[in-house]
Amino acid sequence: MKRSFGLLACLLTVIISLLGCTGTTSQNTVPLLLEYNNEEQTSYVKALWAPEKGTVEIGKDPVLSYPNNDKQVVALHWEGPDSVTVFTREATSNLAQIQTNGVEINVVSLAKSLPIYYDPMVAYTTNEAIYAAGVGAAATTISKITATGMQQYQVANGTFLGLGAMDDKIYVLVGKHQPYVPPETGTIPGPSIMSIILDVLNPDGTMTVKTVTDNYDASILTLAELDIPFADGCFYLDSLRLDVTSTEPKLVEVTSITKGLKTVGTATKLEPFTFYEETTFPSYTKYRDYLVAVGQTVGPNELTIAAFKDDELAGFALITPYSWLRPIPEQLKTTKVYTYDAHGKQLNSYAINTPDSVVVPMTP
């Protein structure tokens, strides 16, 4: 009897140990939502990626899908891999056409606040509001749109660069070009210098203006439309980070992120960019312990997903070949995702259907 009890105790210890390991493992994964679009519907398939191990588990069925021919869905906000807020023009909070599979859905109707003629250029979302930026010749109109109303603000002290929201405040990053200074020689062009300004829109409608720098080299900001990413209270301009909560916000170079992206760029034999105009800033999302970058970092035929922990590269994945044409060309509708460790060593590869985009949810 004592022997049997001892065996049972050992068995329980093993089970508890295994459960503990499973919990730890789940903390070391990043959920990826693979978005697919066709003429009839938009759908999302969940994949669990372990950056350090280089494993990817891809679901067989969509966790969310909805028809896209009526354009009633305005935006989505993923808070964790199993919870999503759907902003819609519909006057109901119960949309039968939205199909879910294991995902908790919250429908926010904007029928009372979003004019039928207004197609917002969504720059940022929370689980209660969408934030849009209407960029004009003389000013940018910032709109906060909720189920109960729409608040609008005018930002006229620079060109719109990016937008984020946190703790009831809206943070708008703008750039103001300095007067052009002719080069000292006739052969070397002068640099394009820009002042970076942070406009803080307070809940009472007032604006606090903070000059970040008067000496930013804007020669790389060549795209017609910019949306510098905002995550976890910070804007990210390549390897530069701007903490909006600082009393005197400054652009700070995160050298470890620079080093990590260099590892990504040198790990393969992919053809690098010829012109910077082919790319833009990667998006950044904070998911638990990871800061995850998604975008083009190597060349025009790949999509990078890089995870940083404590600003150090933890692992990355490349989807290649990848096309940015929409609809995706027939010959590129299937591809592979290659996973790598923090040193650029390839770990695994998986065949997948080419997604239109990859979404990383925010920390639940």
Side-chain angles (χ1 to χ4, degrees):
M1 183 70 177
K2 290 183 179 179
R3 184 179 180 184
S4 298
F5 181 79
L7 290 173
L8 179 60
C10 290
L11 181 60
L12 287 172
T13 301
V14 171
I15 292 173
I16 293 172
S17 175
L18 289 173
L19 288 174
C21 291
T22 301
T24 302
T25 301
S26 65
Q27 294 293 321
N28 296 329
T29 60
V30 175
L32 307 175
L33 295 155
L34 310 181
E35 179 184 342
Y36 295 94
N37 291 286
N38 56 36
E39 293 181 358
E40 288 78 30
Q41 71 174 15
T42 296
S43 59
Y44 292 85
V45 174
K46 183 168 67 176
L48 289 178
W49 169 48
E52 280 102 334
K53 292 185 176 180
T55 57
V56 180
E57 297 178 9
I58 304 172
K60 295 181 180 179
D61 300 312
V63 295
L64 175 74
S65 60
Y66 56 86
N68 57 16
N69 53 4
D70 56 2
K71 297 183 179 180
Q72 291 302 305
V73 174
V74 180
L76 301 180
H77 176 78
W78 289 91
E79 192 168 271
D82 304 316
S83 179
V84 61
T85 298
V86 180
F87 295 93
T88 176
R89 291 183 181 272
E90 295 280 354
T92 176
S93 60
N94 183 20
L95 298 181
Q97 64 266 38
I98 298 180
Q99 304 297 318
T100 63
N101 179 17
V103 171
E104 180 181 347
I105 183 172
N106 174 38
V107 178
V108 175
S109 171
L110 303 178
K112 295 181 179 179
S113 55
L114 188 61
I116 191 65
Y117 59 83
Y118 181 41
D119 186 17
M121 299 298 293
V122 178
Y124 194 76
T125 63
T126 66
N127 57 4
E128 295 179 347
I130 64 174
Y131 297 85
V135 181
T140 298
T141 301
I142 304 299
S143 302
K144 177 183 178 181
I145 309 168
T146 65
T148 57
M150 179 168 63
Q151 296 172 286
Q152 291 190 313
Y153 311 85
Q154 294 295 313
V155 175
N157 59 340
T159 303
F160 175 81
L161 298 179
L163 184 154
M166 188 176 66
D167 298 332
D168 294 326
K169 293 183 178 180
I170 305 172
Y171 299 92
V172 185
L173 203 64
V174 300
K176 186 176 182 180
H177 280 280
Q178 299 287 5
Y180 177 73
V181 178
E184 295 181 0
T185 69
T187 58
I188 303 175
S192 177
I193 301 300
M194 176 183 284
S195 293
I196 300 294
I197 301 168
L198 178 65
D199 292 331
V200 184
L201 301 174
N202 302 303
D204 61 1
T206 61
M207 181 189 297
T208 303
V209 178
K210 300 181 179 182
T211 298
V212 178
T213 180
D214 284 324
N215 194 34
Y216 180 74
D217 183 358
S219 58
I220 64 172
L221 301 181
T222 55
L223 296 172
E225 295 181 1
L226 279 172
D227 189 5
I228 292 173
F230 180 85
D232 197 34
C234 297
F235 284 102
Y236 286 88
L237 294 78
D238 273 355
S239 59
L240 300 176
R241 179 160 57 200
L242 172 64
D243 184 353
V244 300
T245 64
S246 298
T247 305
E248 297 181 0
K250 300 296 181 184
L251 287 173
V252 178
E253 184 173 4
V254 188
T255 55
S256 55
I257 291 182
T258 304
K259 180 181 177 182
L261 293 178
K262 184 177 180 180
T263 299
V264 174
T266 56
T268 72
K269 295 181 180 179
L270 292 175
E271 188 71 24
F273 289 112
T274 303
F275 301 103
Y276 194 87
E277 287 83 352
E278 294 176 345
T279 186
T280 183
F281 295 107
S283 67
Y284 283 86
T285 305
K286 190 67 162 55
Y287 183 81
R288 291 182 175 164
D289 292 336
Y290 294 102
L291 178 69
V292 186
V294 179
Q296 288 176 286
T297 63
V298 182
N301 300 316
E302 56 79 32
L303 181 67
T304 297
I305 310 165
F308 297 87
K309 182 183 287 187
D310 297 326
D311 290 338
E312 299 287 343
L313 184 65
F316 64 97
L318 295 175
I319 299 178
T320 185
Y322 191 80
S323 175
W324 296 86
L325 296 175
R326 298 296 178 268
I328 296 173
E330 192 68 32
Q331 68 273 20
L332 294 176
K333 286 189 174 180
T334 58
T335 186
K336 283 189 175 182
V337 52
Y338 299 88
T339 61
Y340 301 81
D341 67 12
H343 304 289
K345 177 184 176 182
Q346 184 180 328
L347 300 176
N348 293 294
S349 65
Y350 303 86
I352 64 169
N353 293 324
T354 306
D356 285 80
S357 67
V358 175
V359 177
V360 179
M362 294 184 181
T363 299

